[in-house]
Amino acid sequence: KEKQSLSRMQQAAGGRGRAIPWLSPSRSRLTADSYCVHRIIEDPEWCLVTVPPLAELCLQHIVQNFTNNPVLDHLLPEDQRKVLTRLPTHLPLTVTANLISDEDYWKRCCTERWQVCDISNHGGSWKRMFFERHLENILKCFVPNTTDPNQVLELIPLCRDYVRKLEVDQFLPPVKEDQKEETDDLSGSESDFGFGKVCIHHYDLGALVPALPLLEELHLTYGVKDCGMNFDWNLFKFTHQDCCNLAAAVKMCHNLKVFKLTQSNVDDDKTRLLVRSLLDHPSLVELDLSHNLIGDKGAQAVSKLINHSKLEILHLCNNQICDEGARALAQALAKNCTLTSLNLRLNYVEDKGGEAMGCALLTNTTLKSLHLGGNRLAEQTAVLFSQVLTQNSTLTCINFSCNPIGPDGGKQLLEGLRCNQTLTEFDLRLAEVDKESEYLISQMLWANRDAACLQPLLQQPAEPL
Amino acid sequence: MSRGLRSELAGRRWWDPDLDPDPHPTDPGPEERIAARRRRIAARLDAERRQALGENEEPKEKAEDVEKERISHRQMEESQQVCIPPSSQKLAKLLFEGMRMVTDIQVAADLRETQRRAEQAKLKLQRVERLENEARSSASKFEEITSKWALAKEMTVPQELWQLLNQQQQQCTQLLEAKNKLIGELQQELKNKDEQYVQTIKRQSDDINLLLERMEEQIRMMLKTYRHEVRQIEKAFELERRELLDSNRKKWEEAIQALNTKELEYLHARVRKVEEFEKQLNQLRVQDEEEYNSMKIHLENDVQNLERQLQHMKAVYLVDQQKLEYNLQVLKKQNEENTIIGAEQKRKLNWLRSLLNNLRTKLVEQEKQFREENESLAADCERIMRQCKEVKRRMRHSAASDAEKFMKVWLMNEEEAKGLMRKALDADRIIHTQQLGLPWEEPHYWFLNNVGPLRNYKAKRMATKLATEVLTGGTHSLSALVTPVALESSCEGQEEKEKEKEEVGSRDTVTPLLNISKKTAKRILELVSDESGFLIERKLLGPLRALGKRECTLLRLDSIFSALEIDSEDDLYQLVDFFLKYKAKEGALSQVGVPGTAVGRARQSRACVGHQGKAEMGQGAL
């Protein structure tokens, strides 16, 4: 009863406050007090401590209405942190993308969305990782003529400042029936799709890639993952139109440093098309065209590219390059002074191409790593490379694995290696080299490696290809 | 995992039937990446630990000299270098071996792939050859069949035709069978290939499993070895640290001991000093106390004096205040009055102004009137002037005639007088010579020689002037006074008689004065001025004081003379003479007051009597 009377008094005071103008600023406080008093009547165990402070309530409100009214920059740093820890991760990106730069928030977003998050692949930034993977997911699920292209275009202004690397390992072809539903379902599937006649071009990156000014790495695979028994050749068709679009897009992307186009059925013509657009690219450093169908002509085109760009790393493994293509590459290599790594694993280079390579390496002074595994190289190449090993002082890593070099070739290489001080890795596994020379070679390599290690102390041995 | 891999492999079947155990030879698999990452982490941890160890040691070394610290650091680094190369080499070897183990699988797969490709190429060639053979044989058969169709048209006998048709049919079926057989064989091959594919898939999945196992094993081993290495490094560091700590502690203790001894010395010295200072302090305190006491007394006196002064000042202040208040009130009142007066004055001013205006107008009128009058008067004046001139001329004329007449009369009279004189003188001579028998001497009178009227018109000097001359002037003034009279007397000897008639009194009175020395005259005058102050008007007395003695006397005399109505020189002479004679006839003083005692001097003493009477009157008044 006393409390009631108290509340009445306070109300009266509030009433007076309303009546007298100069009391009006304290009115809200008074009404709040009266509210508290009412609460006391209802709950005898209630105490003032449980009432959240107004600041807390405000922050709560901000969090609740963040979508409509994103207030963050005006808050104090402490409050900002509180708000950021409470914000839900499903907020629309249009609100959060350019407003929130807090790594913890994006970490929460990433970990909630994906199980495995390797931040080192994304430059150590959670935000960058989120946007890159988000964009990748959208591109992976993009079905031409079905998906709204605005879905991607709307995302561009949000992520253009964060995306530096784009790794898309799936491009879906356009469909008549809904194909996205069956992914892993092997049993209940319709095997006959009628893709053959309609145009089967994939998503055109020309709209997206030039709009990302910071893009440095682009990894693409024109194929469908997890198709299971729904296999159809058309799912893996990299059409001429696609290639044209891609070439144009890459040409527009001036900051691109790493370009990988793997497992995409790139043949000679498409290679030439791509190379033409990449000629004299201002920043391209690494090119990966492995697991494609590139033949000699494509290799010739690529060799032309070597001397018309800043290319340092070139991967052409698992293609169909024969001796002619290898010869073209070797010629380019003889003149070039930027390329440091060349990978020609699982091609058909054979002895003719190998000899050409060896001749080129006699003059080249930049190449450090060469992979010629699985190229049917024989003793002739070994003879020439023993000469290369004596003369060249830049090569640190050679891989001749899975070549029928034979014991004599191994001895030749051993002889050549005796005069070499720089080579640290020389892979001769399954090369029909006798064990003795292999052992001696490994000993010499260790000596070289130690010498290389001692100069810059604690330097880790270079990783093999 | 395996399912995903299999499906991925299945997806790749169409272009690469045989499997590649490592689909991204340059891009290491996830396990490898993890392993690499773990290695990196281990290395980083190692480095951090090393750093931490180094940092832990540093604070303890701070107590030591910097030089020693540096030396110990260098030693430590050397020991690190000693212990690191073998272990790093070992680790590198381990790493290399592990990597080789892992990549072995890839290499094996590569070899298989190359072999398969070679085999494939061989088989492909065989297949193509067989297909070509088949195509060639079937084509020849087909040509045979087609060539027989022409024969069939020519056939007329039905049995033959039927036979032919049968043959044709048989041949066709043979052809078709051969084709079907080939197709069957190819399909069989395809099936085999499919089986092979499945087998390779299985093998690859085995390979992958093996790869995974090896990788895990490798990771485990690496971790173990790294941990071992780290532990050993830590141990080494710990050992070194302990040694360092021990040596440092020893040095530290030595230093502390030295410090203690030194501190003791310092303490003793300090105690001594403290005692000295205490003595000094006491002395100083006593001195200061004395000084303080004297100072205090002095200051108290000062304070008392000042308080007294203050009281005095306060009293003065009160009085002043009251005075000033009173003054203020008075001034206020005056101010009020002044305001009232001011108002009145203003009123008066206005009134006067109006008056002034009136007067001005009147003045103007008057001026006009006066001008007119002036003009008329000027005319009058001119006329009068003319008349005056006329009168003057007439007067001059009459004066001249008068003078001529006077001269004639004078000369006649003089002749007469001289004759009379000569008669008298003759009589006298006769009396003297004849009667008395006395020698007679003819007296020489100046007037006897005189011809014409007397020129003695010299104006009598004013009495005051004479007095001033007497008082101020030296002997010359007196001589000046005397000489002219002497001269006169000498030159006017002849006209003695005439003079006696008219100016007997004056001649008589003057002569005694002339004989008076200047000094006496001066004294007399001074006495008069001093003694007869009552005759002076009261108003004059004030200003007279301010003047010098002589001027004062002069002015007093002036006023006395004016009071006694002494105007001329003669009066003064009479006065002086009177005083002199008065002194001489002391006995007859009482008779002086009675008038008519000496009739001959009646005229002489007139002034004196007047004077006396006046003096008596003054006395009576006093």
Side-chain angles (χ1 to χ4, degrees), chain B residues 474-490:
Chain B
T475 50
H476 71 275
S477 64
L478 200 71
S479 67
L481 257 175
V482 174
T483 42
V485 179
L487 281 168
E488 261 181 276
S489 60
S490 64

Side-chain angles (χ1 to χ4, degrees), chain A residues 48-150:
Chain A
L48 200 72
V49 181
T50 57
V51 177
L54 184 58
E56 197 70 19
L57 289 171
C58 288
L59 292 182
Q60 217 171 320
H61 194 73
I62 287 172
V63 169
Q64 279 169 4
N65 295 306
F66 201 80
T67 317
N68 301 324
N69 186 17
V71 184
L72 190 67
D73 292 335
H74 306 298
L75 297 177
L76 295 169
E78 280 178 39
D79 297 339
Q80 273 191 15
R81 220 174 304 127
K82 278 183 188 169
V83 169
L84 285 169
T85 49
R86 278 187 223 163
L87 277 182
T89 52
H90 54 73
L91 287 172
L93 284 175
T94 47
V95 178
T96 56
N98 290 317
L99 183 66
I100 298 172
S101 56
D102 183 54
E103 283 290 290
D104 286 337
Y105 173 77
W106 295 109
K107 186 180 177 182
R108 279 196 294 135
C109 290
C110 290
T111 46
E112 264 180 40
R113 197 161 160 185
W114 299 291
Q115 284 182 337
V116 181
C117 297
D118 184 6
I119 198 172
S120 62
N121 274 344
H122 302 274
S125 162
W126 287 100
K127 188 173 187 181
R128 186 182 148 194
M129 172 169 171
F130 181 85
F131 278 106
E132 283 174 0
R133 289 185 72 166
H134 183 65
L135 191 61
E136 282 161 17
N137 280 2
I138 285 178
L139 289 178
K140 277 180 199 172
C141 302
F142 191 92
V143 182
N145 304 335
T146 311
T147 318
D148 184 10
N150 284 330

Side-chain angles (χ1 to χ4, degrees), chain A residues 199-216:
Chain A
C199 70
I200 49 164
H201 305 310
H202 296 90
Y203 175 68
D204 180 12
L205 284 171
L208 171 68
V209 170
L212 300 171
L214 300 174
L215 195 70
E216 286 173 358

Side-chain angles (χ1 to χ4, degrees), chain A residues 254-424:
Chain A
H254 297 293
N255 282 328
L256 196 70
K257 285 182 183 159
V258 181
F259 179 50
K260 295 187 181 179
L261 181 62
T262 53
Q263 304 173 33
S264 300
N265 282 343
V266 181
D267 55 22
D268 285 344
D269 293 335
K270 287 165 191 162
T271 312
R272 278 151 122 184
L273 201 61
L274 282 172
V275 164
R276 204 176 298 146
S277 71
L278 285 174
L279 281 177
D280 296 320
H281 194 279
S283 54
L284 192 74
V285 172
E286 184 175 346
L287 180 65
D288 189 347
L289 291 171
S290 47
H291 310 291
N292 282 310
L293 301 173
I294 299 169
D296 286 336
K297 288 186 177 170
Q300 281 163 8
V302 171
S303 68
K304 193 181 171 190
L305 177 66
I306 289 173
N307 282 328
H308 284 89
S309 69
K310 298 173 182 171
L311 216 57
E312 286 175 15
I313 301 168
L314 180 60
H315 287 272
L316 288 170
C317 71
N318 200 2
N319 277 302
Q320 294 167 3
I321 298 167
C322 297
D323 47 359
E324 276 184 39
R327 212 172 288 147
L329 285 172
Q331 278 175 7
L333 209 57
K335 296 179 215 160
N336 183 269
C337 55
T338 54
L339 201 71
T340 58
S341 171
L342 177 62
N343 191 336
L344 287 172
R345 190 170 68 92
L346 283 178
N347 278 299
Y348 305 100
V349 172
E350 296 182 349
D351 271 336
K352 286 178 188 169
E355 278 172 11
M357 278 286 172
C359 291
L361 285 175
L362 285 172
T363 55
N364 184 289
T365 53
T366 52
L367 199 72
K368 287 181 179 171
S369 168
L370 178 66
H371 198 313
L372 285 170
N375 270 310
R376 283 187 255 170
L377 303 174
E379 202 184 324
Q380 291 174 0
T381 317
V383 172
L384 199 65
F385 264 86
S386 73
Q387 202 182 337
V388 168
L389 286 174
T390 56
Q391 289 190 10
N392 194 308
S393 61
T394 49
L395 269 174
T396 58
C397 177
I398 299 175
N399 195 330
F400 275 160
S401 59
C402 308
N403 283 311
I405 290 171
D408 293 339
K411 274 167 194 161
Q412 289 283 343
L413 287 173
L414 182 62
E415 287 302 312
L417 201 58
R418 280 186 204 285
C419 307
N420 190 293
Q421 309 260 312
T422 52
L423 200 72
T424 55

Side-chain angles (χ1 to χ4, degrees), chain B residues 464 529 532-537 540-541 544 552-566:
Chain B
T464 48
S529 81
S532 54
F534 57 91
L535 291 172
I536 302 161
E537 276 180 64
L540 281 166
L541 284 171
L544 278 173
C552 181
T553 348
L554 274 174
L555 282 170
R556 286 165 84 108
L557 275 177
D558 187 38
S559 59
I560 291 163
F561 290 164
S562 68
L564 294 177
E565 291 176 4
I566 294 168

Side-chain angles (χ1 to χ4, degrees), chain A residues 231 233 315 318 345 429 450, chain B residues 14 25-26 89 104 110 117:
Chain A
F231 173 78
W233 287 110
H315 287 272
N318 200 2
R345 190 170 68 92
R429 281 176 289 181
D450 290 344
Chain B
W14 44 273
T26 52
Q89 218 165 1
D104 266 346
D110 276 2
R117 278 187 188 178

Side-chain angles (χ1 to χ4, degrees), chain A residues 118 121 226 231 233 236 265 291 315 318 343 345-346 348 402 429-430 438 446 449-450 458 464, chain B residues 3 7 14 20 23-26 33 37 84 89 93 96 99-100 103-104 106-107 110-111 114 117:
Chain A
D118 184 6
N121 274 344
D226 301 335
F231 173 78
W233 287 110
F236 297 89
N265 282 343
H291 310 291
H315 287 272
N318 200 2
N343 191 336
R345 190 170 68 92
L346 283 178
Y348 305 100
C402 308
R429 281 176 289 181
L430 301 178
E438 201 171 347
W446 275 113
R449 215 169 289 163
D450 290 344
L458 295 169
Chain B
R3 198 167 70 156
S7 54
W14 44 273
D20 190 350
H24 304 280
T26 52
R33 264 186 297 181
R37 199 160 62 236
I84 283 162
Q89 218 165 1
K93 219 164 235 173
F96 178 77
M99 198 53 84
R100 210 177 163 85
T103 48
D104 266 346
Q106 187 200 342
V107 172
D110 276 2
L111 184 70
T114 46
R117 278 187 188 178

Side-chain angles (χ1 to χ4, degrees), chain B residues 248-427:
Chain B
N248 287 349
R249 199 168 289 149
K250 250 180 228 167
K251 277 171 202 160
W252 179 244
E253 275 165 6
E254 280 169 21
I256 274 183
Q257 228 154 10
L259 191 76
N260 280 339
T261 52
K262 266 189 184 174
E263 285 218 330
L264 262 177
E265 280 171 27
Y266 287 147
L267 197 69
H268 286 309
R270 204 183 143 81
V271 164
R272 246 176 282 137
K273 265 186 189 174
V274 163
E275 280 166 5
E276 274 173 34
F277 284 141
E278 257 177 17
K279 270 181 206 167
Q280 280 182 8
L281 266 177
N282 278 330
Q283 276 182 4
L284 280 173
R285 208 172 285 153
V286 169
Q287 274 181 14
D288 283 356
E289 231 162 80
E290 281 166 13
E291 265 176 38
Y292 169 74
N293 281 335
S294 62
M295 186 79 102
K296 197 182 176 183
I297 291 160
H298 178 69
L299 286 173
E300 271 173 0
N301 286 339
D302 280 5
V303 165
Q304 281 176 357
N305 285 337
L306 286 170
E307 269 177 4
R308 231 175 290 142
Q309 278 181 11
L310 187 70
Q311 294 279 344
H312 180 68
M313 287 306 285
K314 265 182 189 170
V316 169
Y317 164 72
L318 275 172
V319 170
D320 279 357
Q321 199 183 18
Q322 281 174 355
K323 260 190 215 168
L324 286 172
E325 271 172 12
Y326 174 72
N327 282 349
L328 184 69
Q329 281 177 353
V330 167
L331 285 172
K332 268 180 190 169
K333 268 178 194 169
Q334 277 184 358
N335 195 21
E336 280 167 20
E337 280 171 19
N338 282 341
T339 49
I340 294 161
I341 289 164
E344 272 178 19
Q345 292 287 352
K346 258 181 202 168
R347 247 178 283 140
K348 214 180 248 180
L349 193 70
N350 288 334
W351 180 68
L352 284 172
R353 213 168 269 159
S354 60
L355 202 66
L356 179 72
N357 286 336
N358 288 341
L359 286 173
R360 261 184 200 152
T361 50
K362 272 182 191 172
L363 177 72
V364 171
E365 281 171 22
Q366 289 274 345
E367 271 181 356
K368 212 187 274 172
Q369 208 182 319
F370 281 132
R371 214 174 292 136
E372 284 163 13
E373 253 176 58
N374 191 23
E375 279 167 12
S376 64
L377 285 174
D380 283 357
C381 184
E382 231 168 270
R383 193 170 43 83
I384 289 164
M385 284 288 277
R386 249 175 280 136
Q387 279 178 0
C388 183
K389 269 180 190 171
E390 187 72 18
V391 169
K392 269 182 184 172
R393 197 167 47 82
R394 242 183 258 164
M395 197 177 74
R396 225 175 290 143
H397 181 68
S398 65
S401 61
D402 280 353
E404 208 174 318
K405 211 185 262 178
F406 172 73
M407 199 68 183
K408 278 173 189 167
V409 171
W410 181 278
L411 282 172
M412 187 187 72
N413 285 339
E414 206 176 35
E415 273 305 298
E416 222 176 272
K418 272 174 185 173
L420 286 172
M421 187 73 192
R422 239 164 267 137
K423 266 180 200 176
L425 276 171
D426 283 341

